[in-house]
Amino acid sequence: MTTGSLATGLWGRVEQQDFRGRVRGVLLGSALGDALGAPVAGLSLDGIREAHGAQGLTECVPAHGRRGAVTAATQLTLFTVDGLIRAHVRRDTGAWHPPTDVHHAYLRWAATQHDWGPDERRADNGWLAQEEWLYARRDPARACLTGFGDAVLGTLEHPKNPAARDSGATVRSAPFGLLVGWEPALVLQLAVECAAQSHGHPAASLSAGAFAVIVHGLTRGEGLDAAVQRALGLLGSRAGGQPVTDALQRATAAVTQGVPSPRIIESLHAGDGRNAEDALAVAVYCAMVAEDVRHGLRLAVNHGGDSASSGALCGALLGALHGETALPAAWLADLEGRATLLELCDDFALEMTQGPALHGPALSSPGWLARYPRG
């Protein structure tokens, strides 16, 4: 692929602070939606109401042994960020192929999904791979486990798991949308290429690309309608993009159908609600009709589809729209891995806005290169 710069121009202090707030909003919002939806993933709407009352799930409840627990969606999103930072750092060496750096990051995630001894958690893998709480299997998509089960890089010409259509690649793709110095078409291309490393079905990889483009537009200050229309325009030239285009059009049309309800949300499912484009449609619709972040996320998880995925996708969109200060404080207080998420958010913002001051021919920070090794 042809790539652009990860960051462009000089950043003013206010711009840096706004960008950091958007990054935090996207990644923390995604994790909150993931944690809210995790306890009801796999349940029908009737099952959700039976377990949590007529209003469905309205607050974070325990899953995986604790309140605020996240799934593999958040784990993989963190490693996406790690891979993008390393891609930026590695430009100093003349190496510039972000899909490869992101793939290496996903292989580091795959190592957390096995019962490795402490010697496997090498310091030269960078700091994120040392985080003990990430060494837990949290319902990863099978295609993620098999896609990263060996070191072979899946490509668009030779994708891994060509039939995999679930949202396992889409939910890890919000960080591509934070590359605000890239043109939208390049954001789409990078997200699609990285999705094909585990999910080869065109609807899955293009859902990941469309989602990244929407996040990109929001992070740049566009409205949600404009960001969705941009994604639709880019999808029009991609083979296999019709199911994703149809899903986004269902989402925008549903906004006019009256008071938001589970009935409307379930009408967005073209199949059983488990396909990537279905989760994306639910997330976009819920973000469009949300009164606030809490309301939008509750809508996004109370349906019979992939609640954790649609919650994570919607949380990223709402976080990009409104920033970190709009996220529910009580939910954030319980969020698993919040300190790690915040640290990685701020590292990403620092690299994107001040990378040349951290590494380069004239100046390098040994601490930074230990956190994000070039090798």
Side-chain angles (χ1 to χ4, degrees):
M1 65 179 291
T2 302
T3 55
S5 173
L6 288 174
T8 58
L10 296 175
W11 293 71
R13 186 182 300 274
V14 173
E15 291 173 313
Q16 291 179 27
Q17 291 175 345
D18 179 69
F19 178 63
R20 184 177 66 180
R22 298 267 186 165
V23 171
R24 286 184 169 193
V26 168
L27 299 183
L28 288 171
S30 177
L32 283 180
D34 181 27
L36 183 66
V40 294
L43 294 181
S44 66
L45 179 60
D46 287 342
I48 293 172
R49 288 172 168 167
E50 182 178 348
H52 300 285
Q55 299 303 311
L57 183 65
T58 60
E59 299 293 335
C60 286
V61 298
H64 303 290
R66 59 156 291 165
R67 190 186 305 271
V70 298
T71 75
T74 297
Q75 295 174 340
L76 278 158
T77 299
L78 290 173
F79 280 95
T80 304
V81 176
D82 181 65
L84 291 175
I85 294 174
R86 292 207 198 190
H88 198 253
V89 170
R90 276 170 52 82
R91 294 187 73 187
D92 298 338
T93 69
W96 179 240
H97 191 247
T100 296
D101 290 299
V102 172
H103 182 245
H104 289 163
Y106 292 154
L107 294 180
R108 291 191 291 275
W109 167 80
T112 70
Q113 301 301 290
H114 302 285
D115 188 20
W116 300 113
D119 290 343
E120 297 294 332
R121 306 177 193 184
R122 305 189 313 270
D124 61 0
N125 266 345
W127 75 278
L128 187 62
Q130 311 306 311
E131 293 292 296
E132 293 288 334
W133 70 277
L134 289 171
Y135 284 74
R137 184 173 289 196
R138 297 288 180 75
D139 300 327
R142 179 174 176 78
C144 291
L145 293 173
T146 59
F148 306 123
D150 57 45
V152 176
L153 173 65
T155 65
L156 293 179
E157 294 75 22
H158 301 286
K160 293 286 190 73
N161 301 312
R165 194 170 177 169
D166 62 78
S167 56
T170 307
V171 292
R172 65 181 189 241
S173 296
F176 301 120
L178 299 174
L179 300 174
V180 295
W182 287 47
E183 290 303 311
L186 291 178
V187 170
L188 178 80
Q189 183 68 13
L190 178 59
V192 169
E193 288 192 27
C194 292
Q197 295 172 9
S198 63
H199 287 68
H201 195 289
S205 58
L206 288 170
S207 290
F211 174 57
V213 168
I214 297 169
V215 171
H216 184 255
L218 299 178
T219 306
R220 281 181 156 187
E222 293 180 355
L224 183 53
D225 285 332
V228 171
Q229 292 306 313
R230 186 182 300 278
L232 285 168
L234 291 172
L235 286 170
S237 61
R238 305 295 296 236
Q242 194 61 49
V244 187
T245 296
D246 291 344
L248 289 174
Q249 290 174 338
R250 288 197 302 274
T252 57
V255 174
T256 64
Q257 293 179 11
V259 177
S261 68
R263 178 190 61 79
I264 293 176
I265 292 169
E266 294 201 334
S267 75
L268 300 175
H269 301 166
D272 62 0
R274 302 291 165 181
N275 292 338
E277 67 269 28
D278 292 340
L280 179 61
V282 170
V284 168
Y285 168 77
C286 292
M288 284 182 163
V289 301
E291 298 171 2
D292 55 27
V293 174
R294 194 187 300 266
H295 176 244
L297 290 183
R298 285 171 174 165
L299 287 173
V301 305
N302 282 290
H303 60 94
D306 188 348
S307 296
S309 292
S310 55
L313 297 174
C314 184
L317 298 177
L318 292 171
L321 269 172
H322 304 298
E324 63 172 319
T325 57
L327 302 177
W331 292 0
L332 281 173
D334 287 332
L335 183 63
E336 181 181 28
R338 179 164 58 99
T340 302
L341 279 155
L342 284 169
E343 193 169 359
L344 194 62
C345 289
D346 291 354
D347 279 3
F348 181 86
L350 192 62
E351 176 63 42
M352 294 302 115
T353 60
Q354 301 183 57
L358 296 168
H359 53 84
L363 176 68
S364 289
S365 165
W368 194 254
L369 295 181
R371 291 173 71 75
Y372 303 102
R374 289 186 173 120

